[in-house]
Amino acid sequence: MRIALDAMGGDHGPAPNVGGAALALAANPDLTLVFVGDQGQLDPLLAAASLPAGRVEVVHAPQFVEMKEKPGEALRRKPGASIFRAWQLLAEGKVDGLVSAGNTGAVVAGGLMSRRFLKGVHRPGIATVMPTAKGRCVIMDVGANVFPKPRHLLQYGVMGSVFAKHILNIERPSLGLMNVGEEEGKGHELVQKTFELFRSSTFTDRFVGNIEGRDIHRGAVDVVVTDGFTGNVVLKLSEGVLEFVVGLVNHEVIGSLQAEREQAQLALKGLLAKYHYSAVGGAPLLGVEGVCIICHGSSKDKAIASALGMAALDVRVKLNEKIVTELEALPNGDE
């Protein structure tokens, strides 16, 4: 399989992208990587990394979208930027997927610009994996669609369920709709109409109803459905709370220890390794033809490698084919 890597994307430039690629190539013998970026910067890094011969290609794209640039303006001013060039390769069928740690808005804009959505998909969405007391859950959407329609949220539930089953190995994922209360009839018109769509869909037996924010990390459901605005706030809040609590524990608890401080620090480090975003690598943009994994801007080698591994797994299990099959089973009323 062939995956395009936006080599210029991220806060740290091409170095961690090349480092992560080296790890991913070693772990995935069937993987070929197409680095999309400034060849002048990439060539010395690739030479130093001694990557496997015949499994690495470079597509020259000297421009890139900066993290603070507005996606729409970037599309107009830099149509040949690395992330848009990667999307072009995907649209032309020259790669099976793409991975980027660059400007998230630009990554999504590139996907929307291609208009190559899976059959039946009205609007792609970003799914992310979060830790819970019972394992892991999927939240969708976390930023691609801040003004969704009920039919979009229904499809997010379906796509999130397929991802949870075939990537997270949850045999029969349960679904919940993010709301301000658990009772039926709660919330604004969007969630009320979405609630009814789930109740009348083929997923009704797995739909537990409304859930609240505190239910996510409790593991109340395997798939959380919400709009992109709310999902992004939940994601960033969770990241912030984790950093705050870890810092607090490190200072107030571990800092007060003497003989067992080293063991406690190792335990905390192990906990972080288990729940840090780098363990998953990135969030898939589901609903587009091909595979797209969006990484955190601060991603280092490990996170890039994990994202490339996820992209490879999505291709292997034919995730998109399974999504289309499930969407085709939905009642026509979702239109």
Side-chain angles (χ1 to χ4, degrees):
M1 76 188 71
R2 293 163 57 85
I3 303 295
L5 176 60
D6 176 14
M8 310 307 292
D11 298 334
H12 308 293
N17 286 304
V18 173
L23 296 173
L25 287 168
N28 299 273
D30 57 344
L31 178 63
T32 294
L33 290 181
V34 180
F35 291 83
V36 185
D38 184 353
Q39 189 153 10
Q41 296 186 53
L42 285 172
D43 281 349
L45 291 171
L46 294 173
S50 300
L51 301 182
R55 296 174 59 197
V56 173
E57 299 175 21
V58 176
V59 172
H60 182 52
Q63 292 182 309
F64 67 95
V65 180
E66 297 182 10
M67 300 302 275
K68 293 184 179 180
E69 279 192 80
K70 294 182 179 179
E73 292 181 4
L75 266 173
R76 290 190 296 271
R77 295 192 302 106
K78 301 177 179 178
S82 56
I83 182 56
F84 303 137
R85 187 72 181 91
W87 272 112
Q88 184 181 358
L89 293 173
L90 185 59
E92 293 171 351
K94 295 179 178 178
V95 296
D96 301 300
L98 67 89
V99 170
S100 176
N103 183 310
T104 298
V107 179
V108 175
L112 297 180
M113 175 191 66
S114 74
R115 301 301 301 174
R116 294 175 65 85
F117 300 168
L118 294 178
K119 181 181 178 181
V121 171
H122 299 292
R123 186 69 185 266
I126 303 173
T128 193
V129 178
M130 298 191 72
T132 75
K134 298 179 181 179
R136 296 182 292 177
C137 76
V138 178
I139 300 181
M140 186 173 181
D141 172 41
V142 294
N145 189 1
V146 297
F147 297 114
K149 297 178 180 180
R151 64 187 184 186
H152 299 160
L153 294 185
L154 174 63
Q155 291 189 342
Y156 292 166
V158 174
M159 291 191 284
S161 254
V162 174
F163 181 85
K165 179 177 180 179
H166 296 284
I167 303 301
L168 302 186
N169 297 315
I170 302 173
E171 181 57 33
R172 193 171 177 79
S174 57
L175 297 96
L177 180 63
M178 180 70 73
N179 208 331
V180 294
E182 296 179 356
E183 302 84 4
E184 186 173 346
K186 281 277 191 176
H188 46 55
E189 184 179 10
L190 172 64
V191 293
Q192 290 184 22
K193 287 186 174 180
T194 303
F195 187 100
E196 294 304 320
L197 283 181
F198 273 111
R199 280 291 188 227
S200 60
S201 76
T202 52
F203 281 72
T204 184
D205 59 331
R206 284 183 264 170
F207 179 59
V208 304
N210 295 320
I211 66 164
E212 298 177 281
R214 61 187 175 187
D215 295 321
I216 296 175
H217 294 292
R218 291 176 176 176
V221 293
D222 301 308
V223 179
V224 179
V225 179
T226 188
D227 64 274
F229 184 93
T230 304
N232 194 266
V233 171
V234 168
L235 174 62
K236 299 297 175 57
L237 176 63
S238 297
E239 290 177 349
V241 169
L242 176 62
E243 291 178 5
F244 171 73
V245 171
V246 167
L248 200 63
V249 169
N250 192 48
H251 181 266
E252 299 292 337
V253 179
I254 297 179
S256 65
L257 298 176
Q258 297 298 327
E260 298 179 352
R261 180 180 297 181
E262 185 175 347
Q263 292 91 328
Q265 288 175 333
L266 288 173
L268 184 60
K269 185 177 180 180
L271 186 67
L272 280 175
K274 182 179 180 180
Y275 292 113
H276 195 264
Y277 68 82
S278 62
V280 175
L285 178 65
L286 299 179
V288 295
E289 290 188 8
V291 171
C292 172
I293 307 296
I294 303 172
C295 306
H296 203 291
S298 61
S299 294
K300 298 289 185 65
D301 298 23
K302 180 182 177 182
I304 296 297
S306 296
L308 288 167
M310 178 187 287
L313 180 58
D314 286 0
V315 174
R316 286 192 200 101
V317 303
K318 299 181 179 179
L319 187 71
N320 283 343
E321 292 183 19
K322 292 175 170 58
I323 286 176
V324 170
T325 298
E326 291 289 355
L327 290 176
E328 288 178 338
L330 290 175
N332 292 330
D334 80 301
E335 299 293 330

